[in-house]
Amino acid sequence: MNLACSGVAPQGKVEDWVQLVSKVEPIQERSRMENGMRALFQLFQKAPELGSLLDPSTVKADLLIASFDELRPQLMKALGAEADADRAEQGVMAAGIAMAGMILSKRYVLQITNVPYLSRGKQEETIAKYCKEHFPSSSGDLATVFLEKMLQSNTLGGISCCVTLQNWLFLGSYKKFREGLLSKSSWNFVAKLGAKAFQTPMWDFNVMLTIIQNKRPSNSHSFSGLDASTCQTAETKYIGLKFESVREMNQAEQMNNPDSRIAFEEVQTNTPLGDFAQCYQGLRTGDKDRFFRSFWEVNMGNGWDFIRTTNSTLLPIGGMSEVIFWEEGLGQLHQFASENRNKLHDMHESGNSAWGRRGVIINEQANLKASLFFGEKFDA
């Protein structure tokens, strides 16, 4: 079957891998094969961390290096002739990796997948660095990186159908990503599903279905969309996908929205709130069980400060039940954040530009509840 696992790294020494093509003739072609095997070995060293994010097309085949398409039949031939069990097992692995390289290096007319979800703050260092270097405009979440990777892997006119997070339609951090997609790709369909769209137990991600084509859009190109996010269960969302009204949006006009945000309804052209106010994300500690308590559980003043959280009521003031072990910003939390800077990126101080100022605090998702804000530290 035409299947391959992209998460397997080569084992042993590179010299052992080169030996698998040591009998190729003529000698000039053998040299190309050996160089191709070295490139294959180096490329897939990070396969356990990067998986199908690897891009074998970055290793260009030429007069000195063999391509993955050329390597695979030679590897299978070497495998069939190998009597030594250890070498045969190595050949099986090499052939599988060559197959993965061949599949990942091709271009496709249709790709359909449910991508993995992992925000940048939770990514392992190797993945985070790779995404930032190769996919800077979509690196906020692994799901969006995979969508961009799929679009890059399409033939001209190829289509990617994807289940992905909904937040990149409007978050400011994805502005360049949206602008690139709107100007270079033809959108065909967007279906907002919202939270609880999966039948299997998962976090309440706000997800959507997208169909995007690798084709530069005309000024008159329009795409269709529907919103089934108000349906409360996977079953009712399934019905909503069939019967909710479909709307038509001109793709070029989406670029006129603030930050090129994707909107199903007409966006008002009045002065935006961003001209009068600033918005900040709250702090994260990386270990809430250690640094957060309810105010009645501790002796206030011994390093504990109040921290605002989501207001659970509709009252004008609320969300003041929790405290954080702050120690004037110089204690255990400061040390913990310093030791984990590569992962937390100083998120324990996020939102500090709003500390000491007045405003409005509002939770990020689900049923939005707001209350007056008086300058306290606040969580995410």
Side-chain angles (χ1 to χ4, degrees), residues 358-369:
R358 293 195 173 194
V360 175
I361 189 168
I362 187 167
N363 58 301
E364 289 184 324
Q365 54 188 329
N367 296 321
L368 303 181
K369 296 184 176 68

Side-chain angles (χ1 to χ4, degrees), residues 32-318:
R32 290 184 71 246
M33 292 290 175
E34 289 174 347
N35 290 334
M37 286 298 290
R38 291 188 182 95
L40 184 72
F41 184 90
Q42 295 298 328
L43 178 68
F44 276 87
Q45 284 301 304
K46 295 182 179 180
E49 292 86 7
L50 299 179
S52 53
L53 284 178
L54 287 172
D55 187 2
S57 65
T58 58
V59 180
K60 302 296 183 182
D62 53 28
L63 294 175
L64 299 177
I65 300 177
S67 69
F68 293 106
D69 287 341
E70 294 172 297
L71 282 171
R72 185 171 180 273
Q74 294 295 335
L75 287 169
M76 297 304 293
K77 184 178 179 180
L79 172 63
E82 186 59 64
D84 182 84
D86 291 337
R87 290 285 298 278
E89 182 178 351
Q90 195 172 53
V92 170
M93 182 177 292
I97 291 176
M99 167 70 86
M102 184 182 66
I103 291 176
L104 290 173
S105 63
K106 286 186 177 294
R107 295 293 177 262
Y108 295 90
V109 296
L110 179 63
Q111 299 182 77
I112 308 174
T113 190
N114 175 23
V115 296
Y117 308 128
L118 192 66
S119 63
R120 181 164 48 196
K122 296 181 180 179
Q123 292 172 14
E124 188 268 338
E125 184 177 359
T126 301
I127 296 178
K129 182 179 179 181
Y130 184 87
C131 292
K132 186 176 181 179
E133 289 179 358
H134 296 274
F135 305 93
S137 64
S138 62
S139 60
D141 195 280
L142 194 59
T144 325
V145 169
F146 263 89
L147 174 60
E148 184 174 1
K149 175 70 161 58
M150 290 170 65
L151 294 170
Q152 291 178 356
S153 302
N154 281 338
T155 60
L156 182 62
I159 294 175
S160 293
C161 306
C162 195
V163 185
T164 186
L165 294 172
Q166 206 169 284
N167 59 6
W168 64 263
L169 293 182
F170 53 85
L171 287 183
S173 56
Y174 290 110
K175 178 182 178 181
K176 289 184 178 180
F177 181 61
R178 285 191 297 273
E179 290 176 342
L181 287 188
L182 288 171
S183 61
K184 298 177 183 178
S185 303
S186 294
W187 296 42
N188 293 334
F189 203 89
V190 177
K192 296 180 181 179
L193 299 182
K196 300 181 180 178
F198 296 98
Q199 292 180 318
T200 52
M202 291 187 70
W203 294 103
D204 288 341
F205 298 124
N206 285 311
V207 299
M208 62 180 175
L209 311 176
T210 59
I211 303 175
I212 301 177
Q213 188 174 17
N214 182 21
K215 177 183 177 183
R216 189 172 291 275
S218 65
N219 289 333
S220 61
H221 178 77
S222 62
F223 65 95
S224 304
L226 64 80
D227 191 349
S229 60
T230 57
C231 303
Q232 298 299 310
T233 65
E235 289 77 14
T236 55
K237 292 178 192 295
Y238 169 73
I239 297 172
L241 285 173
K242 289 184 175 183
F243 298 109
E244 288 288 341
S245 58
V246 176
R247 307 170 190 177
E248 293 288 327
M249 285 77 65
N250 178 274
Q251 182 168 323
E253 290 179 357
Q254 298 290 316
M255 297 281 283
N256 298 327
N257 295 337
D259 289 341
S260 300
R261 295 169 187 164
I262 311 303
F264 286 5
E265 65 283 341
E266 183 179 352
V267 177
Q268 297 294 325
T269 57
N270 296 332
T271 305
L273 183 61
D275 287 359
F276 301 96
Q278 293 173 305
C279 181
Y280 303 98
Q281 185 183 28
L283 64 83
R284 299 177 188 271
T285 64
D287 193 346
K288 189 172 182 178
D289 289 340
R290 177 180 175 184
F291 296 108
F292 277 65
R293 294 287 186 275
S294 298
F295 73 86
W296 56 83
E297 296 180 290
V298 300
N299 293 322
M300 293 299 297
N302 294 329
W304 295 92
D305 285 2
F306 276 102
I307 183 168
R308 290 292 288 271
T309 188
T310 300
N311 185 12
S312 60
T313 71
L314 296 178
L315 296 175
I317 299 176

